[in-house]
Amino acid sequence: MNQPLSFEDHAALDASKANDNGLRLLALWDGGYASCPVPGIGRIVIGRSETVDLCVASNVVSREHALVTAGEPPTIQDLWSTNGTRVDGRRMAAAETAPLLLGRVIELGNALLILQDGMSPVPTPHFGARLPDGLTVPPSEANLDRLHRLIDLAATVSLNVALQGEPNLSTELMAKRIHQRSLRGHNRFLKVSCEDLRACELGRLLREVRGGTLLLDEVAALSLDLQADLLERLGHPEAPGVGHAGASSLDVRFISTSSCDLSELVALGGFRAELLRWLGGIRIPVPAT
Protein backbone atom coordinates (compact mmCIF):
# COMPACT_ATOMS: atom_id res chain seq x y z
CA MET A 1 0.00 0.00 0.00
CA ASN A 2 1.19 3.51 -0.76
CA GLN A 3 2.23 5.13 2.52
CA PRO A 4 1.14 8.70 3.27
CA LEU A 5 3.75 11.32 2.52
CA SER A 6 5.59 12.88 5.44
CA PHE A 7 5.74 16.62 5.93
CA GLU A 8 9.33 16.41 4.67
CA ASP A 9 8.03 14.92 1.39
CA HIS A 10 5.48 17.69 1.01
CA ALA A 11 8.10 20.29 1.85
CA ALA A 12 10.24 18.91 -0.97
CA LEU A 13 7.30 19.20 -3.37
CA ASP A 14 6.90 22.85 -2.34
CA ALA A 15 10.60 23.68 -2.38
CA SER A 16 9.77 26.30 -4.97
CA LYS A 17 9.40 28.91 -2.25
CA ALA A 18 13.16 29.48 -2.05
CA ASN A 19 14.04 30.26 -5.65
CA ASP A 20 10.99 30.88 -7.79
CA ASN A 21 7.50 32.29 -8.10
CA GLY A 22 5.71 29.66 -5.98
CA LEU A 23 4.51 27.60 -8.95
CA ARG A 24 5.19 23.90 -9.36
CA LEU A 25 4.67 21.32 -12.06
CA LEU A 26 2.99 18.05 -11.13
CA ALA A 27 3.23 15.08 -13.50
CA LEU A 28 1.00 12.02 -13.04
CA TRP A 29 1.15 8.67 -14.78
CA ASP A 30 -0.03 5.13 -14.01
CA GLY A 31 1.33 4.36 -10.56
CA GLY A 32 3.63 7.34 -10.20
CA TYR A 33 4.09 11.08 -9.96
CA ALA A 34 6.85 13.67 -9.93
CA SER A 35 6.96 17.35 -9.12
CA CYS A 36 9.37 20.24 -9.44
CA PRO A 37 9.29 24.00 -8.85
CA VAL A 38 8.99 26.42 -11.74
CA PRO A 39 11.90 28.89 -11.51
CA GLY A 40 11.43 32.61 -11.98
CA ILE A 41 13.76 32.39 -14.96
CA GLY A 42 15.06 29.45 -16.97
CA ARG A 43 13.69 26.28 -18.50
CA ILE A 44 12.56 22.78 -17.45
CA VAL A 45 13.03 19.74 -19.68
CA ILE A 46 10.41 17.03 -19.11
CA GLY A 47 10.80 13.45 -20.26
CA ARG A 48 11.59 9.83 -19.47
CA SER A 49 15.37 10.29 -19.23
CA GLU A 50 16.87 10.36 -15.74
CA THR A 51 18.97 13.37 -16.76
CA VAL A 52 16.06 15.76 -17.42
CA ASP A 53 14.68 18.24 -14.89
CA LEU A 54 11.31 16.48 -14.42
CA CYS A 55 11.51 12.74 -14.99
CA VAL A 56 8.25 11.01 -16.00
CA ALA A 57 8.86 7.27 -15.68
CA SER A 58 6.36 6.19 -18.32
CA ASN A 59 7.36 4.29 -21.47
CA VAL A 60 4.94 6.33 -23.59
CA VAL A 61 6.79 9.55 -22.75
CA SER A 62 9.84 10.40 -24.88
CA ARG A 63 13.26 10.75 -23.28
CA GLU A 64 13.06 14.50 -23.86
CA HIS A 65 9.37 15.09 -24.42
CA ALA A 66 8.59 18.75 -23.70
CA LEU A 67 10.16 22.01 -22.59
CA VAL A 68 8.67 24.49 -20.11
CA THR A 69 10.06 28.02 -20.19
CA ALA A 70 9.57 30.41 -17.26
CA GLY A 71 7.52 33.52 -17.86
CA GLU A 72 4.17 35.15 -17.13
CA PRO A 73 2.64 32.79 -17.94
CA PRO A 74 5.13 29.93 -18.43
CA THR A 75 5.01 28.25 -21.83
CA ILE A 76 5.27 24.64 -22.95
CA GLN A 77 6.84 23.38 -26.15
CA ASP A 78 6.80 19.89 -27.66
CA LEU A 79 10.29 18.52 -28.34
CA TRP A 80 9.43 16.33 -31.36
CA SER A 81 8.04 13.66 -29.04
CA THR A 82 6.85 10.32 -30.38
CA ASN A 83 3.41 10.25 -28.74
CA GLY A 84 2.81 13.98 -28.74
CA THR A 85 1.91 16.79 -26.36
CA ARG A 86 -1.77 17.77 -26.22
CA VAL A 87 -3.27 21.02 -24.93
CA ASP A 88 -7.04 21.03 -24.49
CA GLY A 89 -7.11 17.79 -26.50
CA ARG A 90 -5.27 19.19 -29.52
CA ARG A 91 -1.89 17.74 -30.41
CA MET A 92 0.79 20.41 -30.64
CA ALA A 93 3.04 20.58 -33.66
CA ALA A 94 6.73 19.88 -33.06
CA ALA A 95 8.41 22.97 -31.56
CA GLU A 96 5.02 24.71 -31.19
CA THR A 97 4.68 26.82 -28.03
CA ALA A 98 1.54 27.24 -25.91
CA PRO A 99 0.84 29.11 -22.64
CA LEU A 100 0.87 26.92 -19.53
CA LEU A 101 -1.99 28.26 -17.41
CA LEU A 102 -2.83 27.42 -13.82
CA GLY A 103 -5.02 24.32 -13.71
CA ARG A 104 -4.67 23.51 -17.41
CA VAL A 105 -4.20 19.77 -17.96
CA ILE A 106 -1.48 18.93 -20.50
CA GLU A 107 -1.23 15.41 -21.93
CA LEU A 108 2.24 13.95 -22.47
CA GLY A 109 1.44 10.66 -24.17
CA ASN A 110 -0.83 9.11 -21.53
CA ALA A 111 0.74 11.06 -18.66
CA LEU A 112 -0.76 14.32 -17.38
CA LEU A 113 1.03 17.56 -16.47
CA ILE A 114 -0.55 20.29 -14.33
CA LEU A 115 0.72 23.71 -13.26
CA GLN A 116 -0.23 24.42 -9.65
CA ASP A 117 0.27 27.28 -7.23
CA GLY A 118 1.82 26.11 -3.98
CA MET A 119 -0.48 28.24 -1.83
CA SER A 120 -3.74 28.74 -3.71
CA PRO A 121 -6.70 26.37 -3.88
CA VAL A 122 -7.61 24.76 -7.17
CA PRO A 123 -7.36 27.31 -9.99
CA THR A 124 -10.42 28.01 -12.13
CA PRO A 125 -11.08 24.77 -14.03
CA HIS A 126 -9.89 24.50 -17.59
CA PHE A 127 -12.17 21.56 -18.39
CA GLY A 128 -14.88 23.97 -19.57
CA ALA A 129 -14.61 27.15 -21.62
CA ARG A 130 -14.64 30.42 -19.66
CA LEU A 131 -16.82 33.37 -20.63
CA PRO A 132 -15.93 37.04 -20.01
CA ASP A 133 -18.50 37.45 -17.22
CA GLY A 134 -17.11 34.50 -15.29
CA LEU A 135 -19.70 31.95 -16.36
CA THR A 136 -18.43 28.57 -17.49
CA VAL A 137 -19.62 26.53 -20.45
CA PRO A 138 -20.28 22.92 -19.39
CA PRO A 139 -17.23 20.77 -20.13
CA SER A 140 -17.26 18.82 -23.37
CA GLU A 141 -17.16 15.04 -23.53
CA ALA A 142 -13.44 15.18 -24.40
CA ASN A 143 -12.73 17.45 -21.42
CA LEU A 144 -14.69 15.14 -19.11
CA ASP A 145 -12.59 12.24 -20.39
CA ARG A 146 -9.45 14.15 -19.35
CA LEU A 147 -11.01 14.90 -15.97
CA HIS A 148 -11.76 11.21 -15.45
CA ARG A 149 -8.21 10.38 -16.51
CA LEU A 150 -6.89 12.82 -13.89
CA ILE A 151 -9.11 11.26 -11.22
CA ASP A 152 -7.97 7.75 -12.14
CA LEU A 153 -4.30 8.74 -12.07
CA ALA A 154 -4.80 10.44 -8.70
CA ALA A 155 -6.09 7.12 -7.41
CA THR A 156 -2.82 5.36 -8.21
CA VAL A 157 -0.54 7.60 -6.10
CA SER A 158 -0.32 8.45 -2.41
CA LEU A 159 -0.81 12.22 -2.56
CA ASN A 160 -3.75 13.80 -0.78
CA VAL A 161 -6.43 15.26 -3.07
CA ALA A 162 -8.31 18.56 -2.87
CA LEU A 163 -11.61 18.84 -4.75
CA GLN A 164 -12.58 22.45 -5.47
CA GLY A 165 -16.00 23.69 -6.53
CA GLU A 166 -19.60 24.16 -5.52
CA PRO A 167 -20.88 21.11 -3.62
CA ASN A 168 -22.89 18.68 -5.73
CA LEU A 169 -23.34 14.97 -6.24
CA SER A 170 -20.23 14.84 -8.46
CA THR A 171 -17.97 15.77 -5.53
CA GLU A 172 -18.62 12.67 -3.45
CA LEU A 173 -18.70 10.43 -6.54
CA MET A 174 -15.25 11.71 -7.53
CA ALA A 175 -13.90 11.08 -4.03
CA LYS A 176 -15.33 7.56 -3.95
CA ARG A 177 -13.89 6.80 -7.38
CA ILE A 178 -10.43 7.88 -6.23
CA HIS A 179 -10.72 5.67 -3.15
CA GLN A 180 -12.15 2.62 -4.91
CA ARG A 181 -9.49 2.65 -7.63
CA SER A 182 -6.62 3.08 -5.18
CA LEU A 183 -4.72 0.45 -3.23
CA ARG A 184 -6.81 1.50 -0.26
CA GLY A 185 -10.03 0.58 -2.06
CA HIS A 186 -10.64 -2.55 0.02
CA ASN A 187 -10.45 -0.51 3.24
CA ARG A 188 -12.90 1.97 4.68
CA PHE A 189 -14.05 5.19 3.03
CA LEU A 190 -15.45 7.67 5.55
CA LYS A 191 -17.07 11.03 4.84
CA VAL A 192 -17.00 13.63 7.62
CA SER A 193 -18.81 16.98 7.63
CA CYS A 194 -16.28 19.52 8.91
CA GLU A 195 -19.16 21.80 9.94
CA ASP A 196 -20.28 19.18 12.49
CA LEU A 197 -16.88 17.77 13.50
CA ARG A 198 -15.91 18.12 17.17
CA ALA A 199 -12.42 17.92 18.60
CA CYS A 200 -13.27 14.90 20.75
CA GLU A 201 -14.23 12.93 17.64
CA LEU A 202 -11.08 13.46 15.56
CA GLY A 203 -8.89 10.79 17.13
CA ARG A 204 -11.64 8.16 16.96
CA LEU A 205 -12.36 8.90 13.30
CA LEU A 206 -8.69 8.64 12.35
CA ARG A 207 -8.45 5.28 14.09
CA GLU A 208 -11.62 4.00 12.41
CA VAL A 209 -10.42 4.89 8.92
CA ARG A 210 -6.84 3.66 9.38
CA GLY A 211 -5.62 2.17 6.10
CA GLY A 212 -8.44 3.85 4.22
CA THR A 213 -9.57 7.27 3.01
CA LEU A 214 -11.08 10.15 4.99
CA LEU A 215 -13.21 12.66 3.06
CA LEU A 216 -13.18 16.05 4.81
CA ASP A 217 -16.30 17.71 3.44
CA GLU A 218 -16.15 21.55 3.38
CA VAL A 219 -12.76 21.64 5.08
CA ALA A 220 -12.92 25.45 5.40
CA ALA A 221 -15.44 24.93 8.22
CA LEU A 222 -12.77 23.46 10.51
CA SER A 223 -11.99 25.74 13.43
CA LEU A 224 -8.39 26.91 13.87
CA ASP A 225 -8.12 24.73 16.98
CA LEU A 226 -9.27 21.65 15.06
CA GLN A 227 -6.85 22.51 12.26
CA ALA A 228 -4.02 22.64 14.80
CA ASP A 229 -5.13 19.33 16.30
CA LEU A 230 -5.16 17.70 12.87
CA LEU A 231 -1.69 19.07 12.05
CA GLU A 232 -0.40 17.68 15.34
CA ARG A 233 -1.81 14.24 14.58
CA LEU A 234 -0.30 14.40 11.10
CA GLY A 235 3.11 14.95 12.62
CA HIS A 236 3.71 18.56 11.57
CA PRO A 237 7.16 19.52 12.96
CA GLU A 238 5.90 22.90 14.27
CA ALA A 239 2.74 21.62 15.90
CA PRO A 240 2.73 21.45 19.73
CA GLY A 241 3.02 17.99 21.18
CA VAL A 242 4.12 16.42 17.91
CA GLY A 243 5.46 12.91 18.19
CA HIS A 244 2.58 11.00 19.74
CA ALA A 245 0.87 10.32 16.41
CA GLY A 246 3.16 11.33 13.59
CA ALA A 247 2.64 10.68 9.88
CA SER A 248 4.50 7.36 10.08
CA SER A 249 1.75 5.93 12.35
CA LEU A 250 -1.23 7.71 10.79
CA ASP A 251 -2.01 5.57 7.76
CA VAL A 252 -4.83 7.64 6.26
CA ARG A 253 -5.29 9.30 2.89
CA PHE A 254 -7.17 12.59 2.90
CA ILE A 255 -9.54 13.91 0.28
CA SER A 256 -10.95 17.35 1.04
CA THR A 257 -13.67 19.46 -0.54
CA SER A 258 -14.09 23.22 -0.46
CA SER A 259 -16.46 25.62 -2.18
CA CYS A 260 -14.61 28.75 -1.04
CA ASP A 261 -11.21 30.29 -1.71
CA LEU A 262 -8.94 28.78 0.94
CA SER A 263 -6.04 31.07 0.04
CA GLU A 264 -8.20 34.06 1.00
CA LEU A 265 -8.94 32.38 4.32
CA VAL A 266 -5.20 31.89 4.85
CA ALA A 267 -4.60 35.60 4.16
CA LEU A 268 -7.34 36.49 6.65
CA GLY A 269 -5.95 34.14 9.28
CA GLY A 270 -8.90 31.76 9.10
CA PHE A 271 -7.08 28.75 7.66
CA ARG A 272 -3.59 27.41 8.35
CA ALA A 273 -1.19 27.54 5.41
CA GLU A 274 0.54 24.31 6.51
CA LEU A 275 -2.74 22.41 6.37
CA LEU A 276 -3.60 23.85 2.96
CA ARG A 277 -0.25 22.65 1.57
CA TRP A 278 -0.71 19.24 3.19
CA LEU A 279 -4.20 18.64 1.82
CA GLY A 280 -3.59 20.01 -1.68
CA GLY A 281 -1.12 17.52 -3.15
CA ILE A 282 -3.34 17.14 -6.21
CA ARG A 283 -6.05 19.73 -6.86
CA ILE A 284 -8.99 18.72 -9.02
CA PRO A 285 -11.85 21.01 -10.08
CA VAL A 286 -15.40 19.79 -9.67
CA PRO A 287 -17.51 20.61 -12.76
CA ALA A 288 -20.73 22.49 -12.12
CA THR A 289 -23.86 20.46 -12.71
Side-chain angles (χ1 to χ4, degrees), residues 59-80:
N59 58 12
V60 297
V61 172
S62 297
R63 292 181 60 80
E64 293 187 354
H65 194 107
L67 176 71
V68 170
T69 302
E72 295 184 3
T75 59
I76 187 166
Q77 178 182 6
D78 183 77
L79 296 178
W80 295 271

Side-chain angles (χ1 to χ4, degrees), residues 54-139:
L54 182 59
C55 179
V56 180
S58 170
N59 58 12
V60 297
V61 172
S62 297
R63 292 181 60 80
E64 293 187 354
H65 194 107
L67 176 71
V68 170
T69 302
E72 295 184 3
T75 59
I76 187 166
Q77 178 182 6
D78 183 77
L79 296 178
W80 295 271
S81 63
T82 300
N83 292 310
T85 300
R86 290 176 171 81
V87 179
D88 295 333
R90 183 185 67 83
R91 180 165 179 163
M92 299 175 65
E96 179 186 352
T97 298
L100 186 55
L101 305 176
L102 280 172
R104 170 171 278 177
V105 178
I106 308 294
E107 299 170 82
L108 309 176
N110 69 351
L112 299 181
L113 181 73
I114 311 167
L115 179 67
Q116 296 193 138
D117 187 323
M119 278 302 300
S120 72
V122 184
T124 301
H126 287 276
F127 292 105
R130 297 173 60 191
L131 300 176
D133 59 2
L135 298 177
T136 302
V137 176

Side-chain angles (χ1 to χ4, degrees), residues 155-200:
T156 69
V157 299
S158 59
L159 290 168
N160 294 324
V161 179
L163 302 176
Q164 173 73 30
E166 292 300 320
N168 56 57
L169 181 60
S170 299
T171 307
E172 187 169 351
L173 292 177
M174 290 168 65
K176 286 183 176 179
R177 179 169 175 152
I178 292 169
H179 169 73
Q180 291 166 353
R181 296 184 175 225
S182 74
L183 293 177
R184 298 175 179 271
H186 61 285
N187 292 330
R188 188 170 183 185
F189 174 89
L190 181 62
K191 176 184 176 180
V192 176
S193 170
C194 293
E195 295 178 347
D196 302 325
L197 184 61
R198 295 178 295 177
C200 61

